[in-house]
């Protein structure tokens, strides 16, 4: 019996974070695809507070929130560590993971909006990219140094989902001449074998996201589930 | 070599208080430096160039930012006493989840109570009470969120207690009436020196918020 189950969604970057963490550590697991508009009763039971995926269930214990799941995975299966062992480096890693969480939503706002709201989201996103490039990545190949770690995983959405959003919305954010180091990082990240083999299909994602944007612009209110 | 520990902080900040409580729990000697947030020090801008915010812990010259990250750092470095996070990975994940919940939900709902009026304020009150009720349910019959011991989630939430009386005055409601178990928990936490000697008096916070409201033009 497989002891580890992941309730996720193929198109979700949050879900993929957990897939990458499990695969990097070679942890066997059962993938349970959730249909997001029709979440299973299990999700509502395992995550009554946020009602969201991903949820990792280890034995019978559910763990929610992708970055919390990754720390759990790292502490439970210590091989191929995703966080540094030094407390100061760990604090820095957690700082950038939090930055990815707090600032990432501007790009999603850009994706779901138009006009002034979109312009504001675009400026916020560019500001965040500048900060990440200068203060976060610096001259390192990966955020984790020579190997990818939790921060790379947290920013993993920039390697694929960002490009999809840029294409659909017709706005370029992560341009090579403006953010050379971050741009190089997206290439290097996607070349890591575990990542390369576990990215959603580009075309499928594009189709899905096109539909999401049409719906978002079509609805009169700006709130989303 | 003795450790040099400096805390850049702002006395009413519930985020800064979290770090002060954690340092007190561990009995760590440190230098407290009050920041004027309208005139931030060069040190603060240098130590937290990304957010330019307090609290910042500077340990032997190296800065650590974001209150809950600082608390975890303190727990990992001074790991020989008064543990703040549980040792079991699943319990740690639960603690992180609930501290994250406090971060995402309590601050904004509370802030809207003293920065808005009329319908918006009433909606904020309802949201705030709903959030506290969820936390009260999570607490259950345990003495602390950490179980038998005061821990990470307790630290993340107790520092809001000094702001409670101000929320109650501006919101015209009683938190205890809605969440008696939570208030009982808060009073239990206040019996700990690390908490009672850190949290400012509610009246001082009320005075501070009064001044802020004038500055923001909320009346």
């Amino acid at each position: 019996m497989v002891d580890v189950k992941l309730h996720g969604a193929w198109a979700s970057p949050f879900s993929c974070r957990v897939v990458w963490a499990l695969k990097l550590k070679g942890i066997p697991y059962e993938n349970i695809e959730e249909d997001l508009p029709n979440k299973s009763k299990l999700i509502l039971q395992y995550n009554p507070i946020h009602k969201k995926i991903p949820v990792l269930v280890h034995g019978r214990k559910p763990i929610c929130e992708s970055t919390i799941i990754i720390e759990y995975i790292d502490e439970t299966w210590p091989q191929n560590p995703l966080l540094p062992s030094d407390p100061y480096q760990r604090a820095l890693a957690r700082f950038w993971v939090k930055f990815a969480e707090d600032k990432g939503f501007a790009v999603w706002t850009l994706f779901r909006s138009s006009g002034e709201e979109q312009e504001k989201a675009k400026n916020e996103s560019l500001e965040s990219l500048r900060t990440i490039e200068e203060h976060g990545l610096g001259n390192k190949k990966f955020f984790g140094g020579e190997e990818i770690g939790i921060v790379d995983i947290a920013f993993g959405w920039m390697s694929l989902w960002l490009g999809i959003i840029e294409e659909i919305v017709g706005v370029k954010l992560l341009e090579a001449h403006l953010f050379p180091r971050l741009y190089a990082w997206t290439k290097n990240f996607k070349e890591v074998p575990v990542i390369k083999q576990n990215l959603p299909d580009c075309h499928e994602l594009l189709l899905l996201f096109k539909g999401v944007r049409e719906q978002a612009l079509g609805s009169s209110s700006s709130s989303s589930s | 070599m003795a450790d040099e520990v400096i805390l850049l902080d702002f006395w009413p900040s519930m985020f800064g208080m979290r770090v002060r409580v954690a340092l007190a729990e561990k009995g760590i000697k440190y230098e407290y430096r009050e920041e004027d947030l309208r005139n931030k020090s060069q040190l603060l801008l240098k130590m937290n160039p990304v957010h330019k915010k307090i609290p910042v812990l500077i340990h032997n010259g190296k800065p650590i930012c974001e209150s809950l990250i600082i608390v975890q750092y303190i727990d990992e470095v001074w790991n020989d006493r008064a543990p703040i996070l549980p040792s079991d990975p699943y319990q740690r994940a639960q603690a992180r989840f609930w501290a994250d919940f406090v971060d995402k939900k309590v601050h904004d709902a509370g802030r809207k109570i003293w920065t808005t009026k009329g319908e918006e304020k009433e909606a904020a009150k309802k949201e705030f009470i709903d959030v506290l009720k969820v936390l009260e349910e999570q607490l259950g019959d345990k003495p602390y969120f950490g179980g038998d011991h005061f821990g990470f989630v307790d630290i993340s939430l107790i520092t809001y207690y000094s702001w409670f009386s101000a929320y109650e005055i501006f919101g015209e409601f009683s938190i205890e009436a809605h969440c008696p178990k939570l208030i009982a928990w808060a009073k239990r936490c206040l019996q700990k020196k690390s908490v009672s000697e850190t949290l400012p008096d509610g009246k001082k916070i009320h005075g501070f918020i009064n001044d802020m409201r004038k500055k923001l033009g909320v009346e």
Side-chain angles (χ1 to χ4, degrees):
Chain A
M1 192 195 85
V2 176
D3 202 27
V4 180
K5 296 185 168 76
L6 171 62
H7 290 257
W10 70 269
S12 159
F14 305 100
S15 202
C16 281
R17 286 170 172 176
V18 182
V19 170
W20 297 331
L22 290 166
K23 296 267 185 190
L24 282 163
K25 295 209 179 235
I27 300 161
Y29 70 99
E30 181 188 342
N31 193 65
I32 297 161
E33 184 70 19
E34 288 283 339
D35 175 20
L36 292 189
N38 291 306
K39 288 166 189 163
S40 70
K41 284 207 178 80
L42 276 177
I43 289 296
L44 304 178
Q45 180 194 318
Y46 289 142
N47 193 355
I49 299 297
H50 301 304
K51 305 177 177 53
K52 286 180 173 177
I53 58 93
V55 176
L56 189 81
V57 185
H58 184 199
R60 297 172 67 156
K61 299 179 291 195
I63 303 107
C64 310
E65 297 295 297
S66 59
T67 56
I68 293 175
I69 295 172
I70 295 173
E71 289 224 37
Y72 173 81
I73 289 171
D74 205 46
E75 288 172 7
T76 306
W77 293 277
Q79 71 272 23
N80 298 345
L82 300 173
L83 273 107
S85 50
D86 169 69
Y88 181 70
Q89 296 301 326
R90 288 163 79 79
L92 280 179
R94 287 180 178 134
F95 177 90
W96 288 106
V97 167
K98 185 170 202 294
F99 189 92
E101 292 296 87
D102 292 346
K103 303 291 184 181
F105 73 85
V107 174
W108 301 100
T109 304
L110 183 154
F111 174 67
R112 287 172 185 271
S113 63
S114 57
E116 234 182 80
E117 199 188 347
Q118 189 186 70
E119 193 59 30
K120 181 167 176 244
K122 180 183 166 189
N123 291 331
E124 276 175 25
S125 302
L126 284 169
E127 187 62 44
S128 295
L129 290 176
R130 256 173 240 127
T131 303
I132 297 165
E133 164 122 346
E134 195 189 318
H135 294 280
L137 187 59
N139 291 316
K140 304 194 296 287
K141 180 179 182 192
F142 295 116
F143 291 92
E146 285 303 304
E147 307 277 342
I148 63 170
I150 192 175
V151 182
D152 301 273
I153 292 174
F155 282 124
W157 66 275
M158 289 197 295
S159 71
L160 179 65
W161 288 260
L162 179 56
I164 302 268
I165 287 171
E166 285 173 333
E167 188 175 328
I168 294 172
V169 173
V171 171
K172 272 247 152 252
L173 290 171
L174 184 41
E175 293 187 89
H177 69 277
L178 287 177
F179 306 105
R181 286 171 281 176
L182 212 45
Y183 190 81
W185 173 84
T186 63
K187 302 279 171 241
N188 289 328
F189 183 74
K190 280 191 285 198
E191 281 306 306
V192 174
V194 162
I195 305 300
K196 196 168 181 169
Q197 290 153 25
N198 291 286
L199 280 169
D201 181 81
C202 213
H203 299 289
E204 298 285 315
L205 208 56
L206 195 63
L207 273 170
L208 179 74
F209 272 48
K210 269 194 175 137
V212 172
R213 178 158 163 87
E214 268 157 30
Q215 246 190 347
L217 293 181
S219 65
S220 48
S221 82
S222 60
S223 67
S224 56
S225 68
Chain B
M1 192 193 86
D3 274 321
E4 185 200 53
V5 183
I6 298 169
L7 175 63
L8 305 182
D9 202 349
F10 179 54
W11 72 269
S13 162
M14 64 283 273
F15 304 106
M17 285 177 220
R18 288 166 169 176
V19 180
R20 284 175 249 160
V21 170
L23 289 165
E25 276 287 294
K26 301 268 187 183
I28 298 162
K29 286 192 172 40
Y30 67 100
E31 182 193 335
Y32 178 94
R33 290 196 198 169
E34 186 71 21
E35 284 284 334
D36 176 359
L37 297 188
R38 293 156 304 175
N39 187 20
K40 291 172 183 172
S41 72
Q42 282 306 306
L43 185 63
L44 175 57
L45 299 178
K46 181 178 161 203
M47 292 285 130
N48 192 356
V50 173
H51 299 304
K52 306 173 176 55
K53 285 180 171 178
I54 59 90
V56 179
L57 191 79
I58 309 172
H59 184 204
N60 296 331
K62 295 192 289 197
I64 304 101
C65 310
E66 298 294 317
S67 61
L68 293 181
I69 294 174
I70 299 171
V71 172
Q72 289 187 82
Y73 173 82
I74 289 168
D75 202 36
E76 287 174 11
V77 171
W78 288 275
N79 57 11
D80 55 343
R81 64 195 104 145
I84 293 173
L85 270 120
S87 49
D88 170 69
Y90 181 68
Q91 296 304 326
R92 289 160 77 83
Q94 293 306 296
R96 288 182 178 127
F97 178 91
W98 285 103
D100 178 61
F101 178 86
V102 171
D103 255 5
K104 283 187 166 100
K105 304 282 189 182
V106 179
H107 185 260
D108 286 353
R111 188 183 158 85
K112 278 187 256 183
I113 293 174
W114 62 270
T115 55
T116 63
K117 297 180 283 193
E119 254 179 59
E120 229 186 314
K121 183 169 97 170
E122 290 306 306
K125 260 167 66 178
K126 183 180 182 305
E127 198 189 325
F128 185 75
I129 291 165
D130 285 347
V131 167
L132 290 191
K133 282 200 160 123
V134 171
L135 286 163
E136 195 180 50
E137 200 186 316
Q138 177 55 26
L139 177 67
D141 293 320
K142 304 193 298 290
Y144 301 105
F145 284 92
D148 288 329
H149 301 287
F150 181 77
F152 193 58
V153 182
D154 303 281
I155 292 178
S156 72
L157 182 61
I158 191 56
T159 58
Y160 282 93
Y161 183 74
S162 52
W163 286 64
F164 275 10
S165 58
Y167 293 149
E168 286 177 319
I169 293 168
F170 291 113
E172 293 167 285
F173 70 123
S174 158
I175 295 173
E176 187 162 14
H178 295 277
C179 304
K181 276 183 166 173
L182 203 64
I183 297 299
W185 159 83
K187 291 182 174 158
R188 193 175 301 128
C189 292
L190 276 160
Q191 284 169 16
K192 295 174 70 62
K193 263 181 75 174
S194 60
V195 177
S196 61
E197 290 184 359
T198 295
L199 266 55
D201 187 81
K203 292 196 193 77
K204 279 185 80 179
I205 298 287
H206 180 233
F208 166 73
I209 296 180
N210 253 334
D211 292 340
M212 286 293 289
R213 275 164 61 97
K214 287 189 188 118
K215 288 196 182 93
L216 293 169
V218 183
E219 267 320 44

